[in-house]
Amino acid sequence: MSSLPIVSSRGLYLRAAEELRSNEGQWAAYESKGHCVVIAGPGSGKTKTLTIKLARILSEDVHEPRGVACITYNNECARELEQRLQALGIEPGERVFIGTVHSFSLTQIILPYAKVAGMGLPDDFQVASNNEQRGALERAYDRVIARGDDPHTRWRGPLDRYRRRYLDRTSPEFLETDPVLAELVHAYEEELRAAGLIDFDDMTLLSLRALREHEWLREAIKAKYPVLIVDEYQDLGRALHQMVMGLCFSTGIRLFAVGDVDQSIYGFTGAAPVLLKRLSERDDVETVRLRLNYRCGSEIVRASQFALGEERGYEAPENAAEGTVYFHPLQGSYETQAAYVFDTLLPDAMARLPDLQYGDVAILYPAAWLGNILADAAADRGLATIRADNQAIYPRSSRLMRWLEQCGTWCCEGWKSGEPRFSRLIGEAYRMFSEALPTDSDRIEFQRKLLRIMWERRDSTISLNDWLSTLRQELLRDVFSRSRTLVDESEKLDDLVSKTSPGEQHEEMTLGQFCGHGEGNNRINLTTLHSSKGREFRVVVMFGMDEGGIPRRNPSERDLREARRLFYVGFTRAEEEVHVVCTKNKPSRFVVELAGRLEQ
């Protein structure tokens, strides 16, 4: 979450807007006046369009002290938007909220209004840690189902999905669709409240409930943020959609939403792409489609619509490179196939593209256990990798981890080059730790300590464990103790410190390796298909594209549609080459269809 004002941005955004003029869809979105939904395909420049539009709204439509709220899917999306806005001359301040729906709910609704809106939370409520959530579920399970059994493997996923799907706890739909799950949900939430806790799903549910019950609260949000911008709308779920319906179509907040039904791949978290479709079909909404794909070569754009199984009319610009799609049906185990990728496929690609670096390559796969096979094969050949899946050494979606990476970069030559600026690190820290740094003296003391610790450790070869441990002990421990909202981030830091401790697998990791500085950091990207969304690479290898992996065995019709979208999302990460690797006697049905249509 952050807040940003205008600082001499008018000239910058007007110049940037001229770059949109030649694209009919981008210009229509920029010129829109009322509610607008932008359907933005892969590589269509949607983030550029969104940020320039936001800058225009701030300059021309919303006058101080009012501002704009921009809700994003995750912290990584929020960071990218912040960086792009800074390039337009918009620096941190008080007029723009940028953050996740959970952050918006917590900081803009729950913290300021919980008591007066009658949310039933104690003044000192806390955000539950993972361990506290597990304990609450175990106690609820003991009450409702069976004492002594482990509920996490079988029940946690269904519980979370049920909570996100049926938002009204008094509705017949919630109570009767699955009475056992409904009772478990009630018990789990009661256990959290008894301990003075809320979890992330509670943030949106409590906020939605309060907005429904109190017209004055909706008007208060409108008074502060007369415009609501939503990025990746298709991924944000039913609670956000109902907030939008109430705030924008009942209260009168103006909506500018960006998304793509075809890239909805998070059904397991409650995403419902049909909500974006319905929104785009409203008579009181202007719907704009961005059809040009600036990322992928023209042949990859053409093939991507075969991968999706739908014709969307996407095109590459006239001057785009062609791009190439390769198929590699292989015999043998996944270990054998991984060896082929590193011994043959990648060397051949590097011979065709002499300036290709390992960091320009991503290997995508449907499940993290395939990443283990690939990581082992790369290590056997002395090749460095960086992972973005649930086996990664730390979650790159974590706002704290990304900030620590930037601090590490400053310590590894950044203090010389001025990138990142220390002032930017401090600004991000003040926003992230705002609850723990309420006064000027608190912030000045934090800045002084951070500068001292980092200045004394300007060395890319220093042990990452030593660097993190010092920051945690001398600076962050006190911040965490005074914040109700950073329990999860604190646990992530503790986990990374543990993994890099003496005797552990990553004990030799240096600060330079952590922040991508110095030798050994030109690393091959290993990522699940889900975690590849929003990213782009010159060469993409889609590994393990087999029936039973994508789609999984015995898929429902809904599962099949989402698996196809996932295949499409992975395919459209590539700029120049896509390599589809599958087992020869069991290729995915998507691979068979794609290959067949390309041969026609």
Side-chain angles (χ1 to χ4, degrees):
M1 183 275 291
S2 74
S3 303
L4 311 165
I6 314 170
V7 179
S8 305
S9 63
R10 183 175 176 83
L12 289 172
Y13 89 76
L14 288 175
R15 286 196 294 273
E18 287 302 309
E19 300 174 12
L20 305 180
R21 192 182 290 272
S22 61
N23 184 308
E24 181 180 349
Q26 289 180 332
W27 189 252
Y30 177 73
E31 289 280 87
S32 64
K33 302 300 183 185
H35 299 314
C36 181
V37 171
V38 180
I39 305 299
S44 59
K46 62 100 173 172
T47 304
K48 177 180 179 180
T49 305
L50 187 154
T51 50
I52 295 172
K53 178 65 173 178
L54 191 156
R56 182 180 191 180
I57 290 170
L58 278 173
S59 180
E60 300 179 18
D61 302 341
V62 176
H63 304 295
E64 294 189 48
R66 307 175 84 190
V68 174
C70 182
I71 294 177
T72 66
Y73 178 67
N74 58 31
N75 289 320
E76 221 164 337
C77 296
R79 178 182 289 274
E80 182 180 2
L81 289 174
E82 288 178 1
Q83 290 172 343
R84 294 204 183 204
L85 285 168
Q86 286 168 342
L88 294 176
I90 299 175
E91 295 289 343
E94 294 298 329
R95 290 191 59 208
V96 178
F97 169 93
I98 299 180
T100 65
V101 64
H102 300 100
S103 179
F104 179 81
S105 299
L106 181 65
T107 63
Q108 305 301 307
I109 300 175
I110 296 176
L111 287 175
Y113 299 115
K115 179 172 280 190
V116 68
M119 294 186 192
L121 298 176
D123 291 343
D124 58 348
F125 77 88
Q126 302 283 325
V127 177
S129 68
N130 286 332
N131 286 334
E132 287 168 333
Q133 292 176 48
R134 290 176 65 87
L137 177 55
E138 288 165 6
R139 292 190 298 274
Y141 183 79
D142 286 348
R143 287 169 49 189
V144 173
I145 299 175
R147 180 173 296 276
D149 288 341
D150 178 10
H152 301 290
T153 302
R154 179 180 173 187
W155 291 93
R156 185 66 205 229
L159 175 89
D160 290 342
R161 287 190 290 273
Y162 206 78
R163 293 178 75 204
R164 294 164 188 160
R165 182 170 181 83
Y166 304 109
L167 305 179
D168 183 353
R169 298 293 187 259
T170 64
S171 70
E173 211 178 13
F174 171 77
L175 296 169
E176 297 170 9
T177 301
D178 189 326
V180 174
L181 265 178
E183 189 177 358
L184 185 61
V185 167
H186 273 309
Y188 171 71
E189 292 177 350
E190 287 172 0
E191 290 293 340
L192 287 177
R193 297 302 173 274
L197 300 170
I198 65 172
D199 68 5
F200 280 90
D201 284 333
D202 281 323
M203 294 177 190
T204 53
L205 294 171
L206 289 168
S207 297
L208 178 60
R209 206 170 294 155
L211 288 168
R212 280 176 173 167
E213 293 173 358
H214 302 292
E215 182 181 358
W216 62 263
L217 178 55
R218 298 192 296 273
E219 292 294 336
I221 299 298
K222 179 183 176 182
K224 188 174 184 179
Y225 300 122
V227 178
L228 175 64
I229 294 177
V230 183
D231 190 20
E232 302 288 3
Y233 196 100
Q234 76 282 350
D235 291 330
L236 287 163
R238 297 175 187 275
L240 181 278
H241 181 70
Q242 292 193 21
M243 282 187 197
V244 167
M245 292 299 103
L247 290 172
C248 299
F249 297 100
S250 296
T251 308
I253 292 176
R254 177 178 162 194
L255 175 68
F256 186 85
V258 180
D260 183 8
V261 171
D262 295 332
Q263 296 186 74
S264 179
I265 58 174
Y266 298 112
F268 59 92
T269 68
V274 68
L275 301 177
L276 175 59
K277 185 174 185 295
R278 290 174 188 163
L279 182 65
S280 70
E281 293 170 347
R282 288 179 62 104
D283 292 338
D284 52 355
V285 168
E286 178 183 359
T287 297
V288 175
R289 294 184 180 274
L290 304 186
R291 299 188 183 278
L292 281 180
N293 183 328
Y294 294 99
R295 175 190 303 148
C296 306
S298 57
E299 180 63 12
I300 297 173
V301 174
R302 183 176 81 92
S304 71
Q305 294 174 91
F306 300 153
L308 179 62
E310 302 279 353
E311 175 58 52
R312 297 293 191 230
Y314 293 132
E315 299 177 353
E318 290 184 3
N319 60 348
E322 184 175 1
T324 314
V325 180
Y326 297 89
F327 293 91
H328 304 268
L330 303 176
Q331 304 277 13
S333 67
Y334 287 124
E335 287 78 6
T336 300
Q337 295 178 34
Y340 170 85
V341 168
F342 294 114
D343 294 340
T344 303
L345 190 158
L346 289 184
D348 288 352
M350 299 186 93
R352 284 189 300 274
L353 306 169
D355 60 337
L356 183 70
Q357 300 292 310
Y358 283 129
D360 301 324
V361 176
I363 307 177
L364 317 183
Y365 37 87
W369 64 268
L370 287 168
N372 296 337
I373 293 172
L374 289 159
D376 290 343
D380 289 344
R381 290 156 177 79
L383 299 174
T385 59
I386 182 168
R387 296 183 68 166
D389 57 29
N390 61 18
Q391 299 297 307
I393 185 174
Y394 59 93
R396 294 184 60 79
S397 60
S398 161
R399 187 167 194 173
L400 175 67
M401 290 299 155
R402 297 303 293 269
W403 180 74
L404 289 171
E405 285 180 355
Q406 290 296 299
C407 290
T409 298
W410 190 91
C411 291
C412 301
E413 305 290 334
W415 63 279
K416 293 181 181 178
S417 66
E419 186 58 40
R421 300 193 308 272
F422 184 74
S423 60
R424 183 181 298 176
L425 298 178
I426 284 295
E428 171 71 6
Y430 288 169
R431 295 189 292 278
M432 185 164 45
F433 306 135
S434 58
E435 187 180 12
L437 304 173
T439 68
D440 287 343
S441 61
D442 290 327
R443 291 189 285 272
I444 291 170
E445 178 65 10
F446 179 92
Q447 177 176 332
R448 184 188 66 79
K449 285 184 178 180
L450 178 62
L451 180 58
R452 175 184 59 79
I453 292 168
M454 290 171 56
W455 186 258
E456 292 173 352
R457 290 160 180 80
R458 291 167 293 135
D459 181 356
S460 63
T461 66
I462 193 173
S463 157
L464 176 61
N465 183 265
D466 289 346
W467 188 82
L468 290 172
S469 296
T470 300
L471 269 176
R472 182 181 63 174
Q473 181 68 22
E474 298 186 16
L475 182 69
L476 297 179
R477 185 175 65 174
D478 184 51
V479 169
F480 291 146
S481 71
R482 290 188 282 165
S483 174
R484 293 176 289 178
T485 62
L486 294 173
V487 175
D488 189 49
E489 296 285 21
S490 175
E491 287 185 343
K492 290 170 184 172
L493 176 56
D494 289 345
D495 182 60
L496 181 56
V497 170
S498 175
K499 288 177 178 176
T500 57
S501 297
E504 297 298 324
Q505 180 181 357
H506 301 285
E507 66 174 323
E508 296 182 1
M509 193 170 188
T510 65
L511 179 61
Q513 290 170 333
F514 172 67
C515 61
H517 178 88
E519 294 183 8
N521 287 296
N522 183 26
R523 296 174 282 183
I524 299 168
N525 297 277
L526 302 182
T527 173
T528 57
L529 290 164
H530 282 100
S531 295
S532 72
K533 190 169 181 293
R535 306 178 70 187
E536 55 188 52
F537 309 92
R538 290 183 62 189
V539 173
V540 164
V541 180
M542 300 180 71
F543 186 83
M545 296 295 106
D546 293 343
E547 195 72 11
I550 182 167
R552 295 182 178 178
R553 292 181 179 86
N554 304 315
S556 66
E557 188 58 36
R558 179 179 175 182
D559 292 339
L560 189 61
R561 289 196 299 271
E562 180 154 314
R564 183 183 278 279
R565 294 195 296 266
L566 185 60
F567 183 71
Y568 168 72
V569 163
F571 197 90
T572 53
R573 301 309 94 196
E575 298 172 359
E576 299 177 53
E577 292 187 1
V578 182
H579 296 263
V580 181
V581 178
C582 60
T583 303
K584 191 169 186 178
N585 63 352
K586 58 172 184 178
S588 166
R589 67 188 74 183
F590 307 142
V591 175
V592 173
E593 180 182 339
L594 172 62
R597 296 192 67 178
L598 286 175
E599 289 175 358
Q600 292 175 0

